[in-house]
Amino acid sequence: MRIFYCFAFLVLLLASCAPSRYVVPLKKKEQSLSMNLGGPLINFHNLVIPVPFTSINYAYGLKKNTTVFGAVHPTALAYGVGQMELGLVHRVHYFEGSKIGISASPVLNVMFDRWDWNLRVYPQVDVNVYWNFLGDLARHCDCPGDKKTTAYVYLGFTNWFELNRTRANNQAQPNNWLLAPQVGINMGTASWKYSLELKYMGLLTNNNDVVVSYFNPISSTGAIGAYFTVYKIFAAK
Amino acid sequence: MRTILLISIVLLLQSCLRLDSNMYNNQKITAYHWDDYQGHVDFNLDTVPACNFSFALMHELTLLSKDTVDNKEYKISAVYIGDYATIQQDTVILYCHGNRDHMDFYWPRAKLLANVGGKNRFGVMMIDYRGFGLSEGDPSEEGLYEDVTAALEWLKAKGVISNHLVIYGFSLGSAPATKLLAQPRSTLIPSKLILENPFSSAELMVQDAAQLALPGSFFTNVKVNVTEAIKTVQQPFMLLQSGDDKFLKPASHGEVVYKNYQGSYSEKHLVPNADHSSLQTTWGLFNYIKAVEVFLVK
């Protein structure tokens, strides 16, 4: 089966190919290094697989409820585009009884290319609701080697904001707000955590004419992304 | 974190991958099949016997197209529908096809044009850009211009004059058709321009896909900008626009190209409910060829 990616579709993928970085803040002074692999789902030789885009992330527990982080995108780098993220995640509220929390994550996406040295900056805000259904995130032991497993599921939205009012050929920019819903699960010990996220990207982008071997059982717009992330947690010293 | 940033900078400066090759939906083949082609086509003319013609008037050609960057010469496949004996007197339509497969896919469209104004009233020439069909090489923006220029040079050598030549660009073909009128590379310059569902610019296609105003340079070195090129075209211009083009939205592509035209004469035909590849069938084949004929003889 001939796989044909349309240029337009690849653009869509590269422009929005990352999951929520951190849904639950680290503990104060904890550090985390994580690597993410994944992208929109495609049909490849009769298998449904995610396009293997990558990003590498570092995070630091600044306060009890606030973690700052940065990320780089190696896949974009390979195409001559420096794409970096600087952001934080803040626990807005946590309901002790139900173990449900709400977090918000403002992020600044900075992109530039090495070909024409164009620069773009995109503010992003992720809002997630999570349910800590296994273990207790709030009372998890900070000591390395803790084998107790905690897990949570989350549901939220990624919001990208386009600051430019015009685009190529002096046309008005049609959207200044892009929305992508996501759902995910995160589980692991105090030292290692793993997460899997599904994200619906390009809600309004028709996918019929942009790619042949495309997997989206839900609709003819957008793409469903699947992302796997491994986190190594370094306890506070 | 410092190590990650250092590695990132090195990777960025070493990077050489681009998405340019993904922009082209070309297909290499081992032979053309024309009427016997079994692959997908947007429409066929089996039910329109009047559109068939003597294959004595169909000439398969191989042209040489010189790459100005690496000085290589590529063999480019082409077809001419018409009578060589009268080519100097005939009006010829140079058809620049879209971004799909090869000439077999566009053969019904070329045949339809060969029936504008009556069977074989106008000569029709079509080429496969490099990397499409049997044409050598790989597709590139510069290759589009060079290959169409090679076709112009062939027509010039056959005695075709500018006043008897019309250039027609469909979708991707709107790029060479418009560019070679705005910045001619041959002394044979078409006297009229027809664009069917043109695209505005490569950068706008990037932005359509991303929904963000990302620079085109993030993804491609292709700088095609039909909307800018059309500003310097003076030849009479006809726009054939599908009203429901889901691939290239009329409001941000064809309509913008049309508004930017500042030449001597223009006309626009908007076909309601037609999608990117179904303008002819939605409009009606005979309505289509009649409109083209009226423009050509105007």
Side-chain angles (χ1 to χ4, degrees):
Chain A
M1 184 174 163
R2 179 171 178 251
I3 300 295
F4 152 58
Y5 299 101
C6 176
F7 172 77
F9 192 68
L10 278 167
V11 170
L12 170 68
L13 308 193
L14 287 180
S16 54
C17 56
S20 288
R21 296 298 173 205
Y22 292 87
V23 174
V24 177
L26 299 172
K27 293 182 176 63
K28 189 174 179 180
K29 294 188 178 176
E30 262 188 353
Q31 297 180 77
S32 165
L33 196 60
S34 63
M35 181 161 179
N36 160 256
L37 181 71
L41 298 170
I42 58 166
N43 286 303
F44 185 77
H45 291 284
N46 297 322
L47 292 172
V48 177
I49 61 164
V51 177
F53 291 120
T54 57
S55 61
I56 298 171
N57 323 288
Y58 168 80
Y60 175 74
L62 191 65
K63 295 179 180 176
K64 178 186 171 189
N65 286 324
T66 306
T67 291
V68 292
F69 60 85
V72 293
H73 292 238
T75 311
L77 282 171
Y79 282 85
V81 178
Q83 184 175 351
M84 285 161 284
E85 298 169 31
L86 290 172
L88 61 86
V89 58
H90 180 72
R91 183 169 20 231
V92 178
H93 194 75
Y94 188 69
F95 301 92
E96 288 282 353
S98 56
K99 293 185 178 178
I100 291 175
I102 302 169
S103 69
S105 178
V107 182
L108 204 60
N109 291 272
V110 181
M111 304 177 187
F112 60 94
D113 71 88
R114 59 158 290 207
W115 312 98
D116 292 348
W117 297 106
N118 282 309
L119 172 74
R120 286 289 187 278
V121 175
Y122 290 99
Q124 172 190 348
V125 177
D126 285 18
V127 178
N128 286 291
V129 176
Y130 63 92
W131 173 44
N132 180 195
F133 68 92
L134 182 64
D136 193 335
L137 286 170
R139 294 186 174 78
H140 200 286
C141 176
D142 283 342
C143 48
D146 185 354
K147 301 294 184 191
K148 286 179 186 169
T149 299
T150 57
Y152 62 88
V153 289
Y154 61 94
L155 178 69
F157 296 94
T158 293
N159 304 273
W160 276 59
F161 300 96
E162 170 58 69
L163 303 177
N164 287 294
R165 291 175 182 272
T166 58
R167 56 180 187 155
N169 305 124
N170 290 321
Q171 293 190 46
Q173 169 63 25
N175 313 307
N176 289 95
W177 172 41
L178 276 78
L179 184 70
Q182 68 232 0
V183 58
I185 182 168
N186 180 302
M187 61 191 309
T189 64
S191 299
W192 291 93
K193 292 185 188 300
Y194 310 92
S195 79
L196 188 65
E197 179 177 307
L198 294 176
K199 177 177 282 193
Y200 199 134
M201 297 168 297
L203 275 170
L204 302 177
T205 303
N206 187 298
N207 61 37
N208 282 333
D209 287 322
V210 292
V211 67
V212 171
S213 209
Y214 175 67
F215 179 79
N216 183 347
I218 298 174
S219 82
S220 59
T221 61
I224 297 173
Y227 304 89
F228 179 66
T229 308
V230 179
Y231 301 82
K232 171 63 180 165
I233 313 292
F234 303 95
K237 292 178 181 171
Chain B
M1 193 62 195
R2 199 186 314 170
T3 308
I4 293 173
L5 284 175
L6 276 174
I7 293 171
S8 299
I9 290 167
V10 171
L11 191 56
L12 175 71
L13 295 176
Q14 293 292 315
S15 59
C16 57
L17 298 176
R18 297 301 268 160
L19 293 177
D20 293 16
S21 60
N22 294 286
M23 191 169 183
Y24 302 99
N25 186 18
N26 57 312
Q27 191 177 54
K28 295 266 192 182
I29 54 176
T30 54
Y32 291 107
H33 295 93
W34 310 114
D35 277 347
D36 297 326
Y37 181 58
Q38 297 298 310
H40 172 77
V41 290
D42 289 330
F43 60 89
N44 63 53
L45 303 176
D46 292 348
T47 56
V48 193
C51 283
N52 291 319
F53 51 79
S54 165
F55 275 79
L57 293 178
M58 176 197 167
H59 312 276
E60 284 191 63
L61 311 163
T62 301
L63 314 177
L64 287 177
S65 176
K66 188 165 187 178
D67 189 309
T68 52
V69 177
D70 62 12
N71 273 331
K72 282 184 183 171
E73 279 194 324
Y74 294 100
K75 289 180 181 171
I76 300 301
S77 294
V79 63
Y80 182 75
I81 309 167
D83 189 348
Y84 280 169
T86 58
I87 193 170
Q88 291 183 32
Q89 292 80 46
D90 286 343
T91 292
V92 174
I93 302 168
L94 176 54
Y95 182 73
C96 303
H97 71 55
N99 186 16
R100 181 156 180 177
D101 298 351
H102 43 72
M103 288 194 289
D104 273 340
F105 179 80
Y106 293 100
W107 178 234
R109 292 166 181 268
K111 283 177 68 177
L112 201 54
L113 288 173
N115 285 275
V116 168
K119 199 182 296 287
N120 298 114
R121 176 172 174 189
F122 301 104
V124 177
M125 185 171 192
M126 174 168 67
I127 65 163
D128 257 341
Y129 315 116
R130 65 188 63 174
F132 288 72
L134 288 180
S135 293
E136 295 178 342
D138 295 311
S140 69
E141 179 186 358
E142 194 58 24
L144 296 176
Y145 308 140
E146 288 163 348
D147 297 344
V148 176
T149 301
L152 289 169
E153 291 299 313
W154 184 88
L155 289 167
K156 188 171 76 174
K158 283 287 180 187
V160 174
I161 59 172
S162 295
N163 282 344
H164 288 176
L165 180 63
V166 175
I167 195 163
Y168 185 126
F170 168 51
S171 194
L172 176 73
S174 59
T178 310
K179 176 92 169 184
L180 293 175
L181 284 186
Q183 296 171 359
R185 298 184 181 195
S186 167
T187 53
L188 180 64
I189 303 170
S191 59
K192 290 183 179 176
L193 171 67
I194 301 174
L195 297 181
E196 178 188 336
N197 295 332
F199 72 106
S200 181
S201 66
E203 183 161 77
L204 198 67
M205 289 184 75
V206 164
Q207 296 173 349
D208 272 353
Q211 300 182 41
L212 300 168
L214 292 170
S217 58
F218 279 13
F219 305 98
T220 176
N221 292 327
V222 174
K223 304 290 186 191
V224 171
N225 195 332
V226 177
T227 297
E228 284 302 308
I230 195 83
K231 287 179 179 174
T232 54
V233 171
Q234 291 301 313
Q235 289 87 341
F237 167 44
M238 176 193 213
L239 173 68
L240 302 171
Q241 181 63 58
S242 293
D244 190 26
D245 189 336
K246 295 182 179 67
F247 182 56
L248 299 173
K249 290 175 186 163
S252 51
H253 290 277
E255 297 286 350
V256 182
V257 172
Y258 191 74
K259 279 179 191 162
N260 273 17
Y261 172 75
Q262 297 163 13
S264 57
Y265 173 82
S266 65
E267 63 181 64
K268 178 174 73 173
H269 296 265
L270 182 69
V271 181
N273 304 318
D275 202 348
H276 188 67
S277 299
S278 64
L279 181 137
Q280 287 85 351
T281 49
T282 305
W283 196 1
L285 302 183
F286 291 100
N287 292 329
Y288 164 76
I289 59 175
K290 184 65 186 172
V292 173
E293 180 196 355
V294 168
F295 177 70
L296 292 187
V297 300
K298 193 164 282 191

